[in-house]
């Protein structure tokens, strides 16, 4: 089980006493980079198993090694194998996030394959989801078929309660609406508003229509289940949608985090302070000058 951002880098937290705007920016960006591409998310295996050395096993093994090789060249591939027996074909696909460089995609698929053999040994069909890649196979063709079965739903911790000088709920709402709107245009989408980011992806063999339906359903479940959380993941049969916060709400008080959204008023305060310092320095200088003049006048007598 995983969420994309609930883990935080505690090492940077003690810097907050300095209350420097820069530290705030740096810390909020570093807290989001703790998830690795191969972070395990889900494994689903059929109850039925194939028998050792069966034609199906041979087809499947040859297919999986073909896909493993393909993952060094492309981020998505669906394929079937009847190499050893045409009566028991194997079907499989893999997919990586578009942001993943090919070598990383390949090593992600390698990790999926080793998870497969440890978690779904000899299963007739299986799905392995890692953070940045997935692998599915079956003894029946599933290419182009929609599947909106709920596989996994995870919500992060609750959002801190109001009052805030900014509206967290609206930020999350806008982020999820953006994701829903963009889901009809591409199989992978990102969205973000304020302190939230989100992404969705469908398997590359789905039609745009099936993809949009799947993502819409996933986002609706995210809204209902994780609407008050700092992060949420919903994985359906052939798509997923997830969001996370780029602000670590719990590592510092909302009052200090609001300094970013109200930086203009902070600058005003700094300006007033600078003017005050300047004025005091001016007065001090004037006093020193007048004293000097007076002393010079007395000395001259
Ligand atoms: C796939 O395997 C299952 C379990 O062994 C079996 O019931 C089913 O008929 C198979 N499907 C095909 C298309 O061979
Ligand atoms: C991959 O999936 C698409 C969409 O369903 C299908 O048309 C195509 O034949 C599949 N490719 C292979 C190699 O099976």
């Amino acid at each position: 089980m995983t969420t994309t951002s609930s883990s935080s880098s505690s090492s940077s937290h003690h810097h907050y006493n300095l209350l420097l705007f820069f530290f705030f920016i740096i810390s909020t960006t570093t807290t989001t980079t703790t998830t690795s591409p191969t972070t395990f998310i889900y494994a689903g295996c059929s109850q039925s198993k194939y028998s050792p050395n069966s034609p199906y096993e041979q087809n499947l093994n040859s297919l999986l090694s073909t896909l493993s090789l393909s993952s060094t060249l492309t981020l998505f591939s669906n394929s079937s194998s009847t190499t050893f027996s045409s009566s028991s074909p194997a079907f499989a696909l893999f997919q990586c996030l578009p942001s993943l460089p090919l070598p990383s995609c390949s090593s992600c698929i390698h990790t999926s394959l080793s998870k497969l053999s440890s978690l779904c040994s000899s299963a007739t069909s299986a799905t392995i989801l890692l953070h940045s890649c997935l692998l599915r196979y079956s003894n029946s063709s599933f290419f182009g078929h929609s599947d909106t079965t709920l596989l996994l739903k995870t919500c992060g911790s609750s959002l801190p309660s109001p009052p805030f000088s900014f509206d967290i709920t609206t930020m999350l709402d806008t982020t999820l609406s953006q994701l829903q709107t963009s889901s009809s245009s591409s199989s992978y989408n990102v969205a973000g508003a304020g302190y939230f980011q989100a992404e969705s992806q469908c398997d590359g063999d789905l039609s745009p229509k099936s993809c949009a339906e799947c993502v819409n359903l996933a986002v609706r479940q995210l809204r209902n289940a994780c609407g008050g959380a700092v992060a949420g993941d919903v994985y359906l049969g052939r798509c997923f949608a997830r969001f996370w916060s780029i602000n670590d709400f719990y590592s510092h008080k909302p009052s200090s985090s609001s300094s970013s959204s109200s930086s203009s008023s902070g600058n005003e305060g700094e300006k007033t302070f600078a003017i005050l310092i300047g004025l005091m320095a001016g007065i001090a200088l004037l006093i020193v000058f007048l004293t000097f003049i007076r002393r010079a006048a007395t000395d001259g007598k």
Side-chain angles (χ1 to χ4, degrees):
M1 290 235 303
T2 179
T3 56
T4 48
S5 72
S6 55
S7 44
S8 59
S9 59
S10 55
S11 61
S12 60
H13 294 165
H14 55 268
H15 292 305
Y16 278 93
N17 297 336
L18 295 172
L19 260 180
L20 285 178
F21 186 58
F22 301 104
F23 283 117
F24 173 73
I25 299 284
I26 291 162
S27 300
T28 47
T29 47
T30 52
T31 50
T32 61
T33 56
T34 47
T35 306
S36 124
T38 54
T39 300
F40 177 76
I41 289 175
Y42 171 89
C45 329
S46 66
Q47 297 241 301
S48 66
K49 304 213 169 206
Y50 53 76
S51 29
N53 303 315
S54 60
Y56 178 68
E57 178 180 33
Q58 292 176 312
N59 281 336
L60 181 63
N61 285 345
S62 105
L63 178 57
L64 293 181
S65 48
T66 304
L67 288 187
S68 177
L69 199 61
S70 302
S71 67
T72 63
L73 307 168
T74 175
L75 297 172
F76 170 83
S77 179
N78 60 328
S79 188
S80 59
S81 172
T82 52
T83 312
F84 293 90
S85 152
S86 57
S87 61
S88 46
F91 303 84
L93 66 76
F94 76 86
Q95 179 163 270
C96 294
L97 285 184
S99 56
L100 216 55
L102 282 173
S104 307
C105 178
S106 174
S107 65
C108 194
I109 295 305
H110 272 239
T111 308
S112 318
L113 287 169
S114 66
K115 290 275 176 206
L116 257 190
S117 50
S118 63
L119 299 172
C120 298
S121 177
S122 307
T124 312
S125 62
T127 292
I128 298 283
L129 306 179
L130 304 185
H131 178 267
S132 302
C133 71
L134 61 84
L135 184 74
R136 306 184 206 277
Y137 72 83
S138 176
N139 64 338
S140 62
S141 177
F142 57 96
F143 300 151
H145 297 182
S146 182
D147 179 2
T148 55
T149 312
L150 177 66
L151 300 183
L152 183 73
K153 183 162 60 182
T154 319
C155 300
S157 48
S158 299
L159 285 167
S161 31
F164 297 110
S165 58
F166 47 88
D167 191 347
I168 301 182
T169 319
T170 305
M171 288 175 184
L172 179 53
D173 214 51
T174 308
T175 303
L176 293 179
S177 300
Q178 277 180 11
L179 199 61
Q180 221 153 2
T181 312
S182 58
S183 68
S184 54
S185 54
S186 161
S187 70
Y188 175 79
N189 285 290
V190 292
Y195 290 149
F196 291 97
Q197 288 187 350
E199 64 187 350
S200 66
Q201 190 177 31
C202 299
D203 289 6
D205 58 318
L206 286 197
S207 69
K209 186 169 172 286
S210 302
C211 178
E213 281 169 5
C214 192
V215 170
N216 269 300
L217 204 62
V219 172
R220 217 179 308 152
Q221 297 195 42
L222 268 184
R223 249 187 229 285
N224 292 341
C226 311
V230 295
D233 302 4
V234 166
Y235 296 88
L236 304 183
R238 303 300 300 279
C239 77
F240 70 78
R242 58 193 180 200
F243 73 88
W244 61 96
S245 168
I246 54 170
N247 182 18
D248 194 351
F249 293 109
Y250 290 99
S251 67
H252 47 95
K253 294 191 196 77
S255 58
S256 77
S257 66
S258 72
S259 68
S260 75
S261 57
S262 60
S263 58
S264 60
S265 69
N267 285 346
E268 283 307 308
E270 276 166 33
K271 234 178 264 172
T272 314
F273 186 64
I275 290 169
L276 212 69
I277 292 282
L279 214 65
M280 277 159 67
I283 289 169
L285 219 68
L286 198 69
I287 290 171
V288 169
F289 181 68
L290 288 178
T291 318
F292 178 76
I293 293 282
R294 238 181 88 188
R295 198 175 297 161
T298 356
D299 288 353
K301 272 190 183 162

